[in-house]
Amino acid sequence: MPNLDARLQAALHLIQADMHADIGSDHAHLPIRLAQLGRITRGVIVEVNPGPLEHARVNVARAGLTDRLEVRAGNGLAPLAPGEVQSASMTGMGAQTMLGILTRTPGRVPDALVLQPNDSPEPLRRWAQERGYHVAAEVLAPGFWRYPVLRLERQSGPDPAYAGLPGNAALRYGPLLLRGGNELLREQVAADIARLTLLAAPGRAAEHDLHVAQSAAVWLSGNRK
């Protein structure tokens, strides 16, 4: 069985589907592990680069899963048929790269998404609010830095996860993470305040970012677990 680091383990635990797609899969370790554990029945592995594409095919064959995992060449969600999968995952990319994939083929975006960006997930949370997706789960995974992992689900109406929270702080740091108040998030907010305090000046972007971090700190201090 492939070994998964903390960020991919976190993604794995947020995925449960009959048919799932892993986009930009690289080595295909995540979908292979999902299939081995029975968290998915069938899967589609999408990779645009020839080297990783061949690597994925070799790993799927070695795992004896060619009857359950199909490897497809292509960019983003384009190789999928509309409605073909119930959920999709993207890991190890920047948030803007993920946004590009989600917006290029809106008719192929499934009802559930598990996203692990390598930078701030705020643009993804804003996209989710605009496109009718709710934040169903959020995790911060330790590693080279603190990796956010989100599960988004298509739902009607406003997302209740944001109710009663400081809006900008919830978008920046995550509504469920703020409510949970885990230590990794507290460390991140404190580090942001220390960094932004040195950069902030009236009218500069860092001043706004500092106020957002400070509002998150106030919420966390009043809701200590």
Side-chain angles (χ1 to χ4, degrees):
M1 287 189 180
N3 292 321
L4 303 182
D5 59 18
R7 65 188 178 86
L8 291 182
Q9 283 281 2
L12 179 144
H13 289 299
L14 298 183
I15 297 169
Q16 186 83 50
D18 179 33
M19 188 70 167
H20 177 80
D22 191 42
I23 310 301
S25 191
D26 194 4
H27 42 53
H29 286 176
L30 177 59
I32 287 171
R33 196 78 171 97
L34 287 166
Q36 289 172 332
L37 293 175
R39 299 189 68 85
I40 63 173
T41 304
R42 295 181 57 81
V44 179
I45 296 163
V46 177
E47 181 55 61
V48 69
N49 297 308
L53 178 71
E54 181 59 25
H55 196 185
R57 284 176 172 152
V58 168
N59 285 341
V60 168
R62 285 176 176 169
L65 290 169
T66 54
D67 59 332
R68 296 176 60 195
L69 297 177
E70 181 184 352
V71 182
R72 298 180 188 172
N75 195 347
L77 299 168
L80 304 176
E84 182 179 10
V85 300
Q86 289 81 50
S87 68
S89 53
M90 289 184 273
T91 62
M93 308 176 192
Q96 292 299 329
T97 298
M98 293 181 180
L99 274 181
I101 291 171
L102 293 170
T103 56
R104 277 196 302 271
T105 48
R108 289 172 168 79
V109 180
D111 289 341
L113 296 164
V114 173
L115 308 175
Q116 180 267 298
N118 281 347
D119 50 11
S120 172
E122 182 175 350
L124 297 170
R125 294 191 183 102
R126 291 187 181 278
W127 174 89
Q129 283 191 330
E130 294 167 0
R131 299 299 191 279
Y133 283 79
H134 291 187
V135 181
E138 293 181 308
V139 179
L140 273 183
F144 185 74
W145 52 69
R146 303 169 188 88
Y147 293 98
V149 188
L150 296 74
R151 179 178 172 90
L152 306 176
E153 296 179 357
R154 200 192 308 266
Q155 302 284 348
S156 60
D159 188 345
Y162 291 92
L165 293 173
N168 286 332
L171 285 166
R172 176 71 53 83
Y173 294 104
L176 300 184
L177 291 173
L178 276 178
R179 292 188 191 281
N182 70 45
E183 193 56 35
L184 278 179
L185 179 65
R186 294 178 188 276
E187 291 173 3
Q188 179 178 334
V189 171
D192 285 350
I193 290 174
R195 173 178 56 84
L196 293 166
T197 298
L198 299 175
L199 300 174
R204 296 178 63 181
E207 183 183 27
H208 169 75
D209 293 343
L210 177 59
H211 290 160
V212 172
Q214 288 170 333
S215 69
V218 170
W219 169 270
L220 289 168
S221 65
N223 294 271
R224 183 168 292 278
K225 296 294 182 179

